Amino acid sequence: MGFWGSLVSGAASIGNWVANNSGSIVSAVGTIARIAGKVLAEEDILADNNLLATLSEDLDEAANVLAGYAKKEYPAPKIESEAGFRLKGPYELPAFWPEPTTETTSGIPPVISADVNKFLALNRLPNTLGEKSNATDIGNALAQLMFATQSARVIDRIGDIPIRAVDLKVTYPNNVILSGGNVWYQVPLGNSGHAGWHSCIRLWLQSTQKADEAIQAERKSWMVMAKPMSEIRPEGGSYNSVTLSVQWNGARSVAPLMKKALDTMLKDRKSKIELMAPAVVDGTKFTYQFHSDTNMGPAVVAAKMSGAVTEVLPPVTDTHSLPRMPDIKIENMATFIG
């Protein structure tokens, strides 16, 4: 699904997904149209020679309807403490979740938590709260709450379609309060009762200046400075550029671990691997661009990263439940002749 792993964003993209994945397109299109304030008869849907355009228009309007409900249900919260708290927001994510489910022994799939963490990262919101291995993975905590249907309430009905909302709140005592909610309706996909969720997440952040400064200082401590090409290869010449991604299942404690792994990897002077650009981090996925000699292929660079992560990764314990290894992929490779 492009940048997102578990959700579809944007009316045109959502419409295309629904059109191509619904077992009963009539039911899906009819449901979305009713949320948008229209009533489409089955024969009208079947006779539409530009159904994707109609679906995209209705999804846009339905998203506005959801945003209106979210704004009403989750207005700016009253500051819960006068001890220096400041309010930021709102932060909104309109999206279509193809088939969220909590009907597994492990709860929400990691790919959904990863997308929530991407949303947080794109809005400069913290992905973790707390101390090191005991930190809370905020993306995972919010994802578990978002799809907890037993905690949801019906806030309205459009015809026979219930509009539901569930409250979201993650706190770090005396420092940070992230609160808001998720508003959604279900779109029947016609496959044995399966349904997607068209939703709008709306969040507010309350934090103290001390907490903001601590979060920024922590992020800076995770950075590894990239070197300019004039310093990496002052005399010119040919080289390889390799882009690697390191995808974790959660956000807890992984940023400082990746700094340690990168430091370990770059300190191996025999490898002649250098970081060419700042890391791109979206919460649980870290993307790096490396420079290496032409006799060192991308697989070798990936193996070096894998070895460095293995070296710094602490053993799994009751208080440290990171996966044994992240998924490391070669995203791009190019050879530059100089």
Side-chain angles (χ1 to χ4, degrees):
M1 299 177 193
F3 177 72
W4 304 103
S6 66
L7 65 88
V8 188
S9 182
S13 297
I14 297 171
N16 188 61
W17 191 95
V18 171
N20 289 314
N21 291 276
S22 295
S24 174
I25 189 66
V26 171
S27 181
V29 171
T31 296
I32 295 166
R34 278 183 285 168
I35 300 298
K38 296 163 58 177
V39 178
L40 293 180
E42 181 175 351
E43 55 268 24
D44 295 330
I45 297 172
L46 295 174
D48 192 338
N49 63 3
N50 197 358
L51 188 59
L52 186 58
T54 300
L55 188 53
S56 294
E57 291 170 0
D58 290 347
L59 280 162
D60 253 339
E61 185 55 38
N64 291 334
V65 171
L66 287 173
Y69 280 117
K71 185 176 181 179
K72 181 180 179 181
E73 288 293 314
Y74 302 106
K78 184 178 180 180
I79 300 295
E80 296 195 17
S81 170
E82 295 183 358
F85 273 86
R86 299 177 296 180
L87 182 66
K88 299 176 184 176
Y91 305 96
E92 292 187 348
L93 176 63
F96 181 84
W97 305 83
E99 198 172 354
T101 178
T102 56
E103 296 175 1
T104 62
T105 55
S106 57
I108 293 296
V111 65
I112 291 180
S113 301
D115 276 344
V116 179
N117 269 314
K118 286 179 182 178
F119 165 59
L120 297 174
L122 288 172
N123 286 284
R124 299 184 184 276
L125 295 170
N127 293 107
T128 61
L129 286 175
E131 301 297 328
K132 298 182 180 179
S133 62
N134 291 322
T136 297
D137 181 332
I138 301 178
N140 182 62
L142 290 176
Q144 301 296 336
L145 294 171
M146 281 166 48
F147 302 111
T149 53
Q150 69 276 12
S151 302
R153 63 189 185 280
V154 176
I155 59 173
D156 198 4
R157 291 183 182 272
I158 298 179
D160 60 349
I161 305 170
I163 307 296
R164 294 184 169 90
V166 65
D167 299 340
L168 306 176
K169 190 171 185 179
V170 179
T171 64
Y172 186 58
N174 305 318
N175 282 293
V176 178
I177 303 169
L178 189 63
S179 63
N182 186 30
V183 176
W184 81 93
Y185 67 94
Q186 291 187 324
V187 178
L189 300 178
N191 301 315
S192 302
H194 292 184
W197 289 24
H198 192 195
S199 80
C200 180
I201 300 169
R202 182 176 169 92
L203 297 176
W204 298 88
L205 177 70
Q206 296 180 57
S207 59
T208 63
Q209 182 175 350
K210 181 179 179 181
D212 291 342
E213 291 173 351
I215 290 170
Q216 289 303 316
E218 188 175 33
R219 285 176 175 166
K220 287 183 179 180
S221 73
W222 299 336
M223 290 181 61
V224 175
M225 294 298 295
K227 292 183 178 180
M229 187 56 66
S230 58
E231 183 178 337
I232 295 174
R233 193 169 287 272
E235 298 178 1
S238 302
Y239 65 92
N240 285 341
S241 171
V242 180
T243 302
L244 296 182
S245 66
V246 183
Q247 176 70 64
W248 296 84
N249 280 348
R252 190 164 66 106
S253 302
V254 297
L257 280 174
M258 285 309 305
K259 181 186 187 310
K260 289 181 182 179
L262 201 55
D263 284 340
T264 299
M265 182 179 178
L266 298 178
K267 284 177 182 176
D268 182 2
R269 304 316 303 166
K270 294 180 182 179
S271 298
K272 296 183 179 179
I273 299 173
E274 299 287 357
L275 186 65
M276 293 177 64
V280 176
V281 183
D282 66 18
T284 59
K285 185 177 181 180
F286 296 71
T287 303
Y288 303 98
Q289 187 177 20
F290 294 104
H291 166 287
S292 69
D293 286 344
T294 53
N295 61 358
M296 181 179 293
V300 177
V301 178
K304 294 286 186 182
M305 172 62 80
S306 178
V309 171
T310 300
E311 183 175 334
V312 303
L313 196 62
V316 176
T317 66
D318 291 340
T319 59
H320 192 91
S321 56
L322 282 172
R324 185 65 197 119
M325 279 296 292
D327 186 17
I328 299 174
K329 290 184 179 180
I330 300 167
E331 300 289 352
N332 188 43
M333 182 270 180
T335 299
F336 293 86
I337 306 300

